[in-house]
Amino acid sequence: QEAAKYGKKVMVLDFVTPTPLGSSWGLGGTCVNVGCIPKKLMHQAALLGQALQDSRKFGWQFTEEVKHNWMTMTESVQNYIGSLNWGYRVALREKSVTYENAYGEFVGPHTVKATNKRGVEKLYTAEKFLIATGERPRYLGIPGDKEYCISSDDLFSLPYCPGKTLVVGASYVALECAGFLAGLGLDVTVMVRSILLRGFDQEMANKIGEYMEEHGINFIREFVPIKVEQIEEGTPGRLKVTAKSTKGNQIIEGEYNTVLLAIGRDACTRNIGLDKVGVKINEKTGKIPVNDEEQTNVPYIYAIGDILQDKLELTPVAIQAGRLLVQRLYAGATSKCDYVNVPTTVFTPLEYGACGYSEETAMEKFGEENIEVYHSHFWPLEWTVASRDNNKCYAKIICNIKDNERVIGFHVLGPNAGE
Amino acid sequence: MGWEEKQVRGYPEFVQTAQSYHGRPIFALFCGDKDAEGRSWCPDCVTAEPVVRKELPNMPDGSVFIYCLVGDRAYWKDPNNEFRKNLKLTGVPTLLKYGTPQKLVEEECFKPELVRMLFTED
């Protein structure tokens, strides 16, 4: 939209390859359709359930049984997402941006092939290209994973309640999903291979895990699934999961209605013809290295978002990078996207907001003796009357002693941490 | 099979008509009432109607087009009228695909490409 503002002729090729189970979605990318938006709405649904319990202490009286209807929530969420998809269609159309629901791939210099869902191919040429193909959930590579397991790509539009769920993974996706599923009243187990929230401050990660465990979520630590079998078909069906210890030969089995894989996401860069135009990618991770102006090694091809190597995987960052890039290209601007000190939030049952360095990374970078940490547990006022935990919420700031105790990391664990 | 048009007035008649066509694509255009000379109190509706009508042949086969007069200006301005409350309409003219979040509001209805996009969107 930004480029069209400067009078450029613009085309967007967006296409969603359906999941192994057939899920697909409209225009808007991961965040809108199968990420931030539905995630936060379902997190809110779970919080409201908790609020109903708290409300009794504040004087609200109602009959004991409060139940949750998965379909009602999911339909409302999908309806809202549908309005966003439509809003983007209208916005692009109004700005004269050509949109095609087609899979784009490079076939030669300055040329892409677009294949629509009916298999019809068209060729397009352009002066410049911007790749923002994002990522998709990774599968385990074990028997039964693609046939029987779901991912976040399926969860937010699942046409039946998932029931007793095993979440495999310890990413924020895994913990957020486990969190709201449990908050909606489901029996949830999280199977973790090693640590929680790799890359995040580990003291905070462990507090998040403890809170979830104390509030009814089961954790199986240091195990990985090796096989998923179907016991019974259904919506949901019944699945048998066999898992092996990472520390020995112990094998365990469990039965679940749903297995949700959240072990990581892989960049969609391997099948878009980058080799045909010479764009270098990191062969191991699939990510694209770019300079500080989001330019790949091919001067007329740029990239933004989750596919970038060594950058943040956050929607507002990608949007900002895209806008600034276009302003530099077509409006004579010089501002580059600043990827440092971007605030982010994990929407686990106890929310975690952070900006800057984790304690470990700060100590590594500046030296343990040069770091001062100020911290405190706190009891949110709204939790007092509701008789909720008085020593779980926590905040800390990490300061660089050598730079006048400048705050280089801020971490807060508590309700509304995001805000 | 082509498409057909139904003209209705007021909320109960709209709902009854929409329900009777359940299963077929339904597009609805909501406009302010017309006077004896056939002019609506809503000037944007006057502008939008011919634009929308011109694009009707682009609706999928078997579609139903419901042309709905919502009421007089006073009724429309009431923030609790049934169209606002139940259909979540925020303005007239509104052109929508019934049962989906897809709609065009006010000046969006003046643009033939947007109207065509609404009618042909998968």
Side-chain angles (χ1 to χ4, degrees):
Chain A
Q1 293 180 65
E2 191 76 17
K5 256 167 57 180
Y6 298 115
K8 309 313 283 184
K9 206 166 146 213
V10 188
M11 162 174 271
V12 171
L13 296 177
D14 182 56
F15 191 82
V16 178
T17 304
T19 71
L21 298 173
S23 308
S24 184
W25 50 89
L27 181 61
T30 296
C31 177
V32 166
N33 293 286
V34 289
C36 329
I37 301 291
K39 175 267 291 292
K40 203 172 173 197
L41 288 172
M42 294 197 176
H43 169 69
Q44 174 68 356
L47 290 178
L48 288 172
Q50 175 70 65
L52 282 170
Q53 299 311 317
D54 291 353
S55 73
R56 294 177 201 275
K57 294 264 172 54
F58 283 90
W60 290 100
Q61 298 174 327
F62 46 95
T63 54
E64 286 311 301
E65 230 212 323
V66 175
K67 293 187 313 194
H68 183 261
N69 183 310
W70 173 269
M71 288 314 305
T72 304
M73 172 186 71
T74 306
E75 278 170 21
S76 303
V77 169
Q78 287 302 318
N79 196 56
Y80 175 61
I81 292 173
S83 73
L84 293 178
N85 298 143
W86 176 249
Y88 293 127
R89 297 293 315 277
V90 172
L92 289 186
R93 197 52 272 210
E94 293 212 283
K95 293 189 173 66
S96 303
V97 172
T98 308
Y99 158 69
E100 288 228 350
N101 183 220
Y103 187 94
E105 50 194 312
F106 287 96
V107 289
H110 289 275
T111 312
V112 291
K113 174 174 79 171
T115 308
N116 73 11
K117 66 182 179 206
R118 284 176 204 91
V120 176
E121 295 175 1
K122 289 195 212 169
L123 289 180
Y124 295 104
T125 59
E127 194 197 336
K128 296 204 203 299
F129 294 83
L130 177 61
I131 308 171
T133 48
E135 303 177 304
R136 295 295 292 271
R138 186 181 305 148
Y139 281 78
L140 281 165
I142 59 170
D145 66 352
K146 293 199 171 158
E147 299 92 300
Y148 307 122
C149 300
I150 66 168
S151 73
S152 56
D153 281 357
D154 306 292
L155 180 65
F156 301 111
S157 55
L158 205 62
Y160 52 85
C161 181
K164 179 178 174 192
T165 302
L166 174 69
V167 179
V168 182
S171 55
Y172 74 79
V173 176
L175 298 186
E176 287 175 345
C177 290
F180 73 69
L181 289 174
L184 298 177
L186 303 180
D187 177 342
V188 177
T189 302
V190 182
M191 185 175 286
V192 176
R193 183 178 54 111
S194 66
I195 62 172
L196 299 180
L197 295 173
R198 184 178 302 278
F200 287 86
D201 184 288
Q202 285 298 292
E203 180 188 25
M204 306 308 284
N206 288 325
K207 284 179 181 295
I208 290 171
E210 262 169 41
Y211 183 89
M212 288 172 71
E213 213 159 1
E214 283 163 13
H215 291 264
I217 296 169
N218 309 302
F219 278 80
I220 299 178
R221 316 253 343 209
E222 299 182 324
F223 272 84
V224 289
I226 54 173
K227 190 169 50 168
V228 178
E229 295 162 287
Q230 187 178 65
I231 303 172
E232 195 187 311
E233 257 189 80
T235 54
R238 283 162 57 216
L239 299 172
K240 178 167 129 190
V241 179
T242 307
K244 183 166 184 295
S245 167
T246 59
K247 294 239 135 63
N249 290 321
Q250 195 193 353
I251 303 274
I252 56 172
E253 286 176 356
E255 186 184 313
Y256 305 92
N257 294 123
T258 296
V259 176
L260 170 66
L261 300 181
I263 57 169
R265 294 174 64 78
D266 292 322
C268 298
T269 51
R270 310 230 187 233
N271 293 318
I272 55 173
L274 292 182
D275 52 321
K276 304 248 171 28
V277 282
V279 172
K280 283 202 176 45
I281 67 172
N282 177 317
E283 279 306 323
K284 181 161 173 280
T285 63
K287 298 231 176 177
I288 305 183
V290 292
N291 62 19
D292 63 2
E293 302 201 330
E294 288 81 31
Q295 192 180 36
T296 68
N297 62 306
V298 178
Y300 66 90
I301 301 179
Y302 300 82
I304 53 172
D306 292 3
I307 54 176
L308 297 193
Q309 181 167 273
D310 299 327
K311 299 274 197 280
L312 301 165
E313 294 180 14
L314 297 168
T315 302
V317 173
I319 294 175
Q320 177 76 333
R323 287 205 180 120
L324 292 177
L325 167 65
V326 166
Q327 286 164 16
R328 289 193 306 268
L329 288 177
Y330 304 123
T334 51
S335 282
K336 299 186 197 182
C337 189
D338 182 352
Y339 292 89
V340 175
N341 290 334
V342 177
T344 185
T345 302
V346 180
F347 292 93
T348 32
L350 194 54
E351 292 182 12
Y352 166 41
C355 187
Y357 287 98
S358 66
E359 198 170 326
E360 311 85 84
T361 312
M363 294 203 293
E364 222 180 87
K365 176 139 193 204
F366 298 95
E368 191 174 337
E369 66 286 0
N370 293 316
I371 296 297
E372 186 73 69
V373 179
Y374 297 94
H375 67 150
S376 178
H377 281 93
F378 61 94
W379 197 21
L381 181 59
E382 296 86 339
W383 282 23
T384 57
V385 166
S387 297
R388 290 179 61 188
D389 298 310
N390 64 1
N391 65 344
K392 296 295 179 200
C393 297
Y394 179 72
K396 67 179 178 183
I397 51 172
I398 304 177
C399 304
N400 181 358
I401 299 176
K402 289 222 162 131
D403 185 10
N404 240 317
E405 292 213 318
R406 179 185 297 277
V407 176
I408 56 171
F410 169 63
H411 304 264
V412 60
L413 182 66
N416 304 305
E419 295 304 309
Chain B
M1 190 188 178
W3 53 272
E4 60 183 283
E5 174 169 346
K6 279 274 173 273
Q7 300 204 353
V8 301
R9 193 175 173 280
Y11 184 76
E13 209 190 327
F14 170 76
V15 172
Q16 194 182 48
T17 307
Q19 283 172 355
S20 72
Y21 285 105
H22 180 72
R24 289 166 64 174
I26 300 171
F27 297 92
L29 178 64
F30 298 91
C31 294
D33 277 4
K34 292 177 165 174
D35 61 20
E37 274 87 51
R39 287 215 74 134
S40 177
W41 55 258
C42 162
D44 285 351
C45 301
V46 174
T47 311
E49 194 179 331
V51 176
V52 172
R53 288 193 171 283
K54 189 138 178 270
E55 297 297 325
L56 291 178
N58 288 313
M59 290 190 303
D61 242 15
S63 292
V64 179
F65 173 66
I66 303 180
Y67 179 77
C68 177
L69 296 178
V70 298
D72 63 23
R73 183 184 237 124
Y75 168 81
W76 180 250
K77 293 295 182 195
D78 171 13
N80 291 320
N81 77 52
E82 292 142 307
F83 288 100
R84 290 188 191 270
K85 261 186 29 202
N86 303 336
L87 278 179
K88 310 274 185 284
L89 295 197
T90 53
V92 280
T94 289
L95 176 67
L96 55 75
K97 185 170 181 180
Y98 190 67
T100 78
Q102 292 166 11
K103 63 178 181 176
L104 297 173
V105 181
E106 292 158 1
E107 317 84 56
E108 290 176 343
C109 301
F110 301 169
K111 300 178 183 172
E113 321 90 61
L114 291 186
V115 175
R116 199 173 314 141
M117 189 171 82
L118 179 73
F119 287 157
T120 56
E121 168 71 345
D122 248 334

